[in-house]
mmCIF file of all heavy atoms in Angstrom:
data_model
loop_
_atom_site.group_PDB
_atom_site.id
_atom_site.type_symbol
_atom_site.label_atom_id
_atom_site.label_comp_id
_atom_site.label_asym_id
_atom_site.label_seq_id
_atom_site.Cartn_x
_atom_site.Cartn_y
_atom_site.Cartn_z
ATOM 1 N N PHE M 1 0.877 -1.187 0.007
ATOM 2 C CA PHE M 1 0.005 -0.015 0.002
ATOM 3 C C PHE M 1 0.858 1.229 -0.018
ATOM 4 O O PHE M 1 1.897 1.289 0.664
ATOM 5 C CB PHE M 1 -0.883 0.038 1.259
ATOM 6 C CG PHE M 1 -2.137 -0.784 1.149
ATOM 7 C CD1 PHE M 1 -2.138 -2.117 1.631
ATOM 8 C CD2 PHE M 1 -3.280 -0.277 0.508
ATOM 9 C CE1 PHE M 1 -3.337 -2.834 1.528
ATOM 10 C CE2 PHE M 1 -4.442 -1.079 0.433
ATOM 11 C CZ PHE M 1 -4.494 -2.329 0.867
ATOM 12 N N LYS M 2 0.440 2.257 -0.660
ATOM 13 C CA LYS M 2 1.075 3.585 -0.715
ATOM 14 C C LYS M 2 -0.047 4.648 -0.739
ATOM 15 O O LYS M 2 -1.076 4.464 -1.218
ATOM 16 C CB LYS M 2 1.952 3.749 -1.869
ATOM 17 C CG LYS M 2 3.229 2.953 -1.874
ATOM 18 C CD LYS M 2 4.489 3.739 -1.914
ATOM 19 C CE LYS M 2 5.652 2.873 -1.750
ATOM 20 N NZ LYS M 2 6.843 3.539 -2.041
ATOM 21 N N GLU M 3 0.341 5.861 -0.382
ATOM 22 C CA GLU M 3 -0.579 7.015 -0.468
ATOM 23 C C GLU M 3 0.159 8.106 -1.232
ATOM 24 O O GLU M 3 1.200 8.532 -0.844
ATOM 25 C CB GLU M 3 -1.007 7.504 0.885
ATOM 26 C CG GLU M 3 -1.933 8.677 0.849
ATOM 27 C CD GLU M 3 -2.264 9.323 2.206
ATOM 28 O OE1 GLU M 3 -2.347 8.605 3.141
ATOM 29 O OE2 GLU M 3 -2.353 10.569 2.258
ATOM 30 N N TYR M 4 -0.474 8.582 -2.304
ATOM 31 C CA TYR M 4 0.165 9.583 -3.113
ATOM 32 C C TYR M 4 0.607 10.802 -2.336
ATOM 33 O O TYR M 4 1.715 11.271 -2.334
ATOM 34 C CB TYR M 4 -0.755 10.047 -4.270
ATOM 35 C CG TYR M 4 -0.116 11.018 -5.197
ATOM 36 C CD1 TYR M 4 0.625 10.581 -6.342
ATOM 37 C CD2 TYR M 4 -0.204 12.353 -5.021
ATOM 38 C CE1 TYR M 4 1.232 11.448 -7.151
ATOM 39 C CE2 TYR M 4 0.481 13.273 -5.839
ATOM 40 C CZ TYR M 4 1.165 12.800 -6.903
ATOM 41 O OH TYR M 4 1.769 13.671 -7.764
ATOM 42 N N HIS M 5 -0.349 11.324 -1.560
ATOM 43 C CA HIS M 5 -0.082 12.587 -0.792
ATOM 44 C C HIS M 5 1.100 12.512 0.169
ATOM 45 O O HIS M 5 1.871 13.399 0.370
ATOM 46 C CB HIS M 5 -1.332 13.005 -0.033
ATOM 47 C CG HIS M 5 -1.337 14.464 0.427
ATOM 48 N ND1 HIS M 5 -1.101 14.813 1.659
ATOM 49 C CD2 HIS M 5 -1.493 15.671 -0.257
ATOM 50 C CE1 HIS M 5 -1.110 16.096 1.843
ATOM 51 N NE2 HIS M 5 -1.374 16.605 0.680
ATOM 52 N N LEU M 6 1.244 11.358 0.833
ATOM 53 C CA LEU M 6 2.276 11.161 1.760
ATOM 54 C C LEU M 6 3.571 10.601 1.190
ATOM 55 O O LEU M 6 4.687 10.860 1.624
ATOM 56 C CB LEU M 6 1.842 10.206 2.887
ATOM 57 C CG LEU M 6 0.784 10.713 3.925
ATOM 58 C CD1 LEU M 6 0.369 9.648 4.873
ATOM 59 C CD2 LEU M 6 1.321 11.931 4.619
ATOM 60 N N ASP M 7 3.433 9.742 0.166
ATOM 61 C CA ASP M 7 4.583 9.014 -0.291
ATOM 62 C C ASP M 7 5.195 9.551 -1.583
ATOM 63 O O ASP M 7 6.227 8.968 -2.034
ATOM 64 C CB ASP M 7 4.161 7.535 -0.483
ATOM 65 C CG ASP M 7 3.773 6.841 0.765
ATOM 66 O OD1 ASP M 7 4.355 7.122 1.863
ATOM 67 O OD2 ASP M 7 2.810 6.051 0.761
ATOM 68 N N VAL M 8 4.581 10.503 -2.205
ATOM 69 C CA VAL M 8 5.098 10.947 -3.482
ATOM 70 C C VAL M 8 6.499 11.484 -3.321
ATOM 71 O O VAL M 8 6.820 12.180 -2.405
ATOM 72 C CB VAL M 8 4.169 12.024 -4.144
ATOM 73 C CG1 VAL M 8 4.138 13.341 -3.402
ATOM 74 C CG2 VAL M 8 4.564 12.316 -5.597
ATOM 75 N N GLU M 9 7.353 11.187 -4.311
ATOM 76 C CA GLU M 9 8.722 11.695 -4.301
ATOM 77 C C GLU M 9 8.803 12.746 -5.343
ATOM 78 O O GLU M 9 8.344 12.590 -6.456
ATOM 79 C CB GLU M 9 9.714 10.577 -4.611
ATOM 80 C CG GLU M 9 9.893 9.564 -3.486
ATOM 81 C CD GLU M 9 10.884 8.455 -3.816
ATOM 82 O OE1 GLU M 9 11.770 8.721 -4.729
ATOM 83 O OE2 GLU M 9 10.773 7.426 -3.246
ATOM 84 N N LEU M 10 9.379 13.898 -4.944
ATOM 85 C CA LEU M 10 9.406 15.055 -5.835
ATOM 86 C C LEU M 10 10.671 15.056 -6.705
ATOM 87 O O LEU M 10 11.731 14.703 -6.210
ATOM 88 C CB LEU M 10 9.466 16.326 -4.990
ATOM 89 C CG LEU M 10 8.333 16.531 -3.985
ATOM 90 C CD1 LEU M 10 8.417 17.824 -3.270
ATOM 91 C CD2 LEU M 10 6.941 16.394 -4.674
ATOM 92 N N GLY M 11 10.576 15.433 -7.965
ATOM 93 C CA GLY M 11 11.647 15.647 -8.827
ATOM 94 C C GLY M 11 12.035 17.120 -8.828
ATOM 95 O O GLY M 11 11.193 17.981 -8.508
ATOM 96 N N PRO M 12 13.316 17.443 -9.158
ATOM 97 C CA PRO M 12 13.681 18.832 -9.215
ATOM 98 C C PRO M 12 12.964 19.569 -10.378
ATOM 99 O O PRO M 12 12.704 18.944 -11.412
ATOM 100 C CB PRO M 12 15.200 18.817 -9.476
ATOM 101 C CG PRO M 12 15.517 17.407 -9.907
ATOM 102 C CD PRO M 12 14.401 16.547 -9.423
ATOM 103 N N PRO M 13 12.636 20.831 -10.168
ATOM 104 C CA PRO M 13 11.959 21.521 -11.208
ATOM 105 C C PRO M 13 12.948 21.897 -12.377
ATOM 106 O O PRO M 13 14.170 21.813 -12.190
ATOM 107 C CB PRO M 13 11.522 22.843 -10.518
ATOM 108 C CG PRO M 13 12.440 22.994 -9.401
ATOM 109 C CD PRO M 13 12.884 21.678 -8.980
ATOM 110 N N VAL M 14 12.385 22.307 -13.447
ATOM 111 C CA VAL M 14 13.168 22.787 -14.626
ATOM 112 C C VAL M 14 13.205 24.282 -14.642
ATOM 113 O O VAL M 14 12.145 24.902 -14.489
ATOM 114 C CB VAL M 14 12.567 22.239 -15.997
ATOM 115 C CG1 VAL M 14 13.378 22.729 -17.159
ATOM 116 C CG2 VAL M 14 12.592 20.671 -15.930
ATOM 117 N N LEU M 15 14.376 24.910 -14.807
ATOM 118 C CA LEU M 15 14.442 26.333 -14.781
ATOM 119 C C LEU M 15 14.607 26.908 -16.205
ATOM 120 O O LEU M 15 15.333 26.334 -16.992
ATOM 121 C CB LEU M 15 15.679 26.804 -13.997
ATOM 122 C CG LEU M 15 15.763 26.404 -12.496
ATOM 123 C CD1 LEU M 15 17.054 26.856 -11.884
ATOM 124 C CD2 LEU M 15 14.615 26.935 -11.746
ATOM 125 N N ALA M 16 13.926 27.956 -16.447
ATOM 126 C CA ALA M 16 14.061 28.765 -17.687
ATOM 127 C C ALA M 16 14.468 30.182 -17.266
ATOM 128 O O ALA M 16 13.745 30.802 -16.523
ATOM 129 C CB ALA M 16 12.788 28.789 -18.501
ATOM 130 N N VAL M 17 15.648 30.583 -17.601
ATOM 131 C CA VAL M 17 16.179 31.887 -17.197
ATOM 132 C C VAL M 17 16.350 32.908 -18.356
ATOM 133 O O VAL M 17 16.847 32.533 -19.408
ATOM 134 C CB VAL M 17 17.581 31.620 -16.559
ATOM 135 C CG1 VAL M 17 18.200 32.928 -16.081
ATOM 136 C CG2 VAL M 17 17.462 30.645 -15.400
ATOM 137 N N ARG M 18 15.828 34.036 -18.153
ATOM 138 C CA ARG M 18 15.949 35.134 -19.148
ATOM 139 C C ARG M 18 16.675 36.268 -18.454
ATOM 140 O O ARG M 18 16.229 36.718 -17.298
ATOM 141 C CB ARG M 18 14.646 35.527 -19.624
ATOM 142 C CG ARG M 18 13.995 34.568 -20.660
ATOM 143 C CD ARG M 18 12.825 35.096 -21.273
ATOM 144 N NE ARG M 18 11.801 35.461 -20.238
ATOM 145 C CZ ARG M 18 10.678 35.962 -20.491
ATOM 146 N NH1 ARG M 18 10.187 36.266 -21.624
ATOM 147 N NH2 ARG M 18 9.801 36.194 -19.467
ATOM 148 N N ILE M 19 17.652 36.855 -19.084
ATOM 149 C CA ILE M 19 18.414 37.907 -18.471
ATOM 150 C C ILE M 19 18.046 39.218 -19.213
ATOM 151 O O ILE M 19 18.113 39.238 -20.427
ATOM 152 C CB ILE M 19 19.952 37.644 -18.655
ATOM 153 C CG1 ILE M 19 20.290 36.312 -17.894
ATOM 154 C CG2 ILE M 19 20.726 38.793 -18.091
ATOM 155 C CD1 ILE M 19 21.622 35.840 -18.144
ATOM 156 N N LYS M 20 17.661 40.211 -18.447
ATOM 157 C CA LYS M 20 17.329 41.542 -18.927
ATOM 158 C C LYS M 20 18.443 42.460 -18.393
ATOM 159 O O LYS M 20 19.359 42.045 -17.659
ATOM 160 C CB LYS M 20 15.942 41.987 -18.473
ATOM 161 C CG LYS M 20 14.831 41.011 -18.855
ATOM 162 C CD LYS M 20 14.596 41.059 -20.372
ATOM 163 C CE LYS M 20 13.435 40.149 -20.743
ATOM 164 N NZ LYS M 20 13.258 40.062 -22.137
ATOM 165 N N GLU M 21 18.279 43.708 -18.710
ATOM 166 C CA GLU M 21 19.411 44.641 -18.328
ATOM 167 C C GLU M 21 19.484 44.805 -16.794
ATOM 168 O O GLU M 21 20.589 44.866 -16.288
ATOM 169 C CB GLU M 21 19.068 46.082 -18.917
ATOM 170 C CG GLU M 21 19.468 46.061 -20.374
ATOM 171 C CD GLU M 21 19.274 47.475 -20.983
ATOM 172 O OE1 GLU M 21 19.282 48.466 -20.242
ATOM 173 O OE2 GLU M 21 19.114 47.528 -22.251
ATOM 174 N N THR M 22 18.314 44.917 -16.085
ATOM 175 C CA THR M 22 18.480 45.139 -14.642
ATOM 176 C C THR M 22 17.842 44.013 -13.816
ATOM 177 O O THR M 22 17.732 44.070 -12.534
ATOM 178 C CB THR M 22 17.759 46.423 -14.242
ATOM 179 O OG1 THR M 22 16.400 46.300 -14.675
ATOM 180 C CG2 THR M 22 18.424 47.670 -14.941
ATOM 181 N N PHE M 23 17.452 42.857 -14.462
ATOM 182 C CA PHE M 23 16.897 41.806 -13.711
ATOM 183 C C PHE M 23 17.069 40.428 -14.417
ATOM 184 O O PHE M 23 17.311 40.462 -15.642
ATOM 185 C CB PHE M 23 15.421 42.083 -13.289
ATOM 186 C CG PHE M 23 14.452 42.186 -14.474
ATOM 187 C CD1 PHE M 23 13.851 41.020 -14.945
ATOM 188 C CD2 PHE M 23 14.244 43.405 -15.081
ATOM 189 C CE1 PHE M 23 12.979 41.109 -16.053
ATOM 190 C CE2 PHE M 23 13.384 43.472 -16.164
ATOM 191 C CZ PHE M 23 12.738 42.382 -16.611
ATOM 192 N N ILE M 24 16.874 39.372 -13.661
ATOM 193 C CA ILE M 24 16.803 38.053 -14.161
ATOM 194 C C ILE M 24 15.435 37.557 -13.886
ATOM 195 O O ILE M 24 14.921 37.652 -12.782
ATOM 196 C CB ILE M 24 17.849 37.143 -13.450
ATOM 197 C CG1 ILE M 24 19.274 37.608 -13.669
ATOM 198 C CG2 ILE M 24 17.691 35.706 -13.932
ATOM 199 C CD1 ILE M 24 20.275 36.859 -12.782
ATOM 200 N N LEU M 25 14.781 36.984 -14.972
ATOM 201 C CA LEU M 25 13.448 36.404 -14.810
ATOM 202 C C LEU M 25 13.593 34.865 -14.811
ATOM 203 O O LEU M 25 14.112 34.340 -15.790
ATOM 204 C CB LEU M 25 12.562 36.868 -15.903
ATOM 205 C CG LEU M 25 11.001 36.561 -15.679
ATOM 206 C CD1 LEU M 25 10.466 37.251 -14.501
ATOM 207 C CD2 LEU M 25 10.289 37.012 -16.898
#
């Protein structure tokens, strides 16, 4: 038996980075 809410393992998120003149989004 397993429960999704308690037993789910998280994977790392994927980052999308945009560089502007005075900030990083």
Side-chain angles (χ1 to χ4, degrees):
F1 279 96
K2 290 237 175 169
E3 180 186 324
Y4 184 89
H5 195 258
L6 290 176
D7 298 323
V8 68
E9 289 180 24
L10 307 180
V14 176
L15 300 179
V17 179
R18 287 186 301 177
I19 300 169
K20 302 291 184 186
E21 285 185 21
T22 60
F23 64 90
I24 298 172
L25 191 62

